[in-house]
Amino acid sequence: MSNTNMNDVFIVDAVRSPVGKIGGAFSNVRPDDLGAHALKSLMDRMRSVDPTQIEEVYFGAANGAGEDNRNVARMSVLLAGLPTSIPGATVNRLCGSGLEAVFSASRAVAVGDLDVVIAGGVESMTRAPWIVLKPAKGFPTSHEQMWNSTLGWRMTNPNMPSEWTVALGEGAEILADKYSISREEQDEFAALSHVKAAAAWSAGLFDGEVAHYPGVTLDRDECIRADSTAEKLATLKPAYRPVEDGGKVTAGNSSQITDGATADLIMSEE
């Protein structure tokens, strides 16, 4: 049965850090500190809101294996100096984790469970740790496998069909094949994305939403290449499949590995 008595949901304000590239400006900043900064910056802008009114913080985070400390939403609340009465929930839908957090918050407000919520997300792909499984018994004499938790599946179940856990880049190759997306189209789209982002920054379109991190010199998103062109991107080799096997996905037309945080204040109309 559907609930016809749904509340109107409003995003009242939102802030984000600039986006840092892997090993870049935020490489020395812990993810929980990035998350805390987003929360503090949001509340500094919304001084008319009593922090004790906040009923929940939802954060998306795809890793959680390191300094995220399992529940980075709760850790960020505490580090931000917000009331300890505010609970935090961290959700994971991999690359869609931040959006999932916003969806979770908006649904809770829509059905009347909550009235004042913060939702957003944080990720430090730079600081994602190496991880090692515990040995089956003490004092092993064999070598152990170390996994980099920055990106991709790790420690997959051997019963899982390999085609279900392909790398992100191979997934993009599969989709490009399925929907007949050419290398040229991908390069053109990527180049135009850089050009548009650079123009938007220069026009000041992001100034109202960005909260700069103290002590970090980063005036705009670090990953933008304003001089990118489809012709330059065309010179890059495919990163996942060789050219002779139809490889189209390169470092230049792929999503970038980044660090950053965001926080949105979501309320019911009442």
Side-chain angles (χ1 to χ4, degrees), residues 59-64 68 72 90-94 97-98 120-123:
F59 261 8
N63 199 308
D68 316 73
V72 72
T90 301
V91 301
N92 187 346
R93 196 184 282 274
L94 300 181
S97 297
V122 60
E123 208 76 55

Side-chain angles (χ1 to χ4, degrees), residues 117-135:
V117 194
I118 294 176
V122 60
E123 208 76 55
S124 176
M125 300 182 81
T126 296
R127 298 177 69 87
W130 293 322
I131 50 179
V132 179
L133 282 171
K134 291 180 179 178

Side-chain angles (χ1 to χ4, degrees), residues 3-270:
N3 181 359
T4 57
N5 299 314
M6 303 291 282
N7 293 325
D8 289 331
V9 182
F10 296 89
I11 296 181
V12 179
D13 199 5
V15 300
R16 68 174 178 92
S17 70
V19 177
K21 67 181 180 181
I22 188 168
F26 290 134
S27 59
N28 293 321
V29 182
R30 290 174 55 114
D32 48 4
D33 284 330
L34 271 176
H37 175 64
L39 291 175
K40 287 189 289 186
S41 300
L42 180 65
M43 298 313 298
D44 285 345
R45 289 162 55 125
M46 299 298 298
R47 294 187 180 276
S48 60
V49 177
D50 182 351
T52 62
Q53 291 181 289
I54 301 169
E55 299 165 276
E56 183 71 88
V57 171
Y58 290 104
F59 261 8
N63 199 308
E67 295 166 329
D68 316 73
N69 201 359
R70 296 191 177 189
N71 187 357
V72 72
R74 175 65 173 167
M75 297 297 131
S76 297
V77 166
L78 299 176
L79 288 166
L82 294 176
T84 58
S85 58
I86 302 173
T90 301
V91 301
N92 187 346
R93 196 184 282 274
L94 300 181
C95 297
S97 297
L99 284 174
E100 181 65 27
V102 174
F103 293 157
S104 298
S106 63
R107 291 188 195 108
V109 173
V111 300
D113 287 344
L114 302 170
D115 283 306
V116 184
V117 194
I118 294 176
V122 60
E123 208 76 55
S124 176
M125 300 182 81
T126 296
R127 298 177 69 87
W130 293 322
I131 50 179
V132 179
L133 282 171
K134 291 180 179 178
K137 59 181 180 180
F139 310 108
T141 57
S142 61
H143 298 293
E144 298 298 327
Q145 170 72 52
M146 181 177 287
W147 303 81
N148 185 344
S149 69
T150 297
L151 187 68
W153 307 108
R154 61 257 188 182
M155 299 174 288
T156 53
N157 192 309
N159 295 321
M160 187 78 71
S162 60
E163 63 268 24
W164 291 358
T165 54
V166 297
L168 286 169
E170 176 58 23
E173 293 281 17
I174 292 170
L175 290 172
D177 289 344
K178 180 176 181 179
Y179 295 105
S180 301
I181 303 171
S182 69
R183 165 71 185 270
E184 291 72 24
E185 288 175 303
Q186 293 182 61
D187 288 344
E188 288 172 3
F189 185 90
L192 188 58
S193 295
H194 285 286
V195 171
K196 286 183 174 180
W201 271 105
S202 297
L205 298 184
F206 296 131
D207 292 350
E209 68 184 40
V210 170
H212 297 284
Y213 194 91
V216 173
T217 303
L218 185 58
D219 295 329
R220 59 172 62 190
D221 294 337
E222 196 172 14
C223 305
I224 299 171
R225 298 176 184 270
D227 62 347
S228 184
T229 66
E231 291 73 24
K232 289 181 180 179
L233 294 178
T235 65
L236 299 177
K237 294 181 178 180
Y240 295 91
R241 289 185 191 172
V243 174
E244 55 268 26
D245 291 337
K248 308 180 189 72
V249 179
T250 72
N253 60 32
S254 297
S255 300
Q256 301 183 22
I257 301 176
T258 55
D259 308 328
T262 184
D264 305 350
L265 182 62
I266 299 174
M267 292 184 180
S268 65
E269 182 176 24
E270 179 183 358

